[in-house]
Amino acid sequence: MDLKRWQYFSAVARVGSLAKAAQLLEIAPSALSRQIALLEEECGGMLFHRTGRGVVLTRLGEMV
């Protein structure tokens, strides 16, 4: 597991938006999205529900 991915996960969960988290982390939104997707693969499921207004944690996301 990559600690950086967990830091990204935490930022996205905290602000509720991939775009806002990418801006705070100073990385491209597409790069952040890819890192979250890789983390979701490692965890075996979706960590966030993507909505029109951002993201919210799934049950799995809350558990991790």
Side-chain angles (χ1 to χ4, degrees):
M1 288 212 180
D2 185 340
L3 178 59
K4 190 62 101 178
R5 286 187 190 134
W6 288 108
Q7 291 171 332
Y8 293 162
F9 167 81
S10 177
V12 173
R14 190 172 56 250
V15 300
S17 165
L18 285 167
K20 288 179 185 176
Q23 188 175 21
L24 289 172
L25 295 165
E26 298 181 345
I27 64 172
S30 59
L32 178 57
S33 181
R34 178 69 183 139
Q35 292 302 310
I36 295 298
L38 290 171
L39 186 58
E40 289 176 329
E41 285 179 26
E42 290 178 18
C43 292
M46 300 292 288
L47 300 174
F48 296 100
H49 287 291
R50 277 95 172 145
T51 70
R53 296 181 179 230
V55 297
V56 293
L57 289 169
T58 62
R59 182 175 168 106
L60 177 60
E62 290 174 358
M63 290 185 343
V64 297

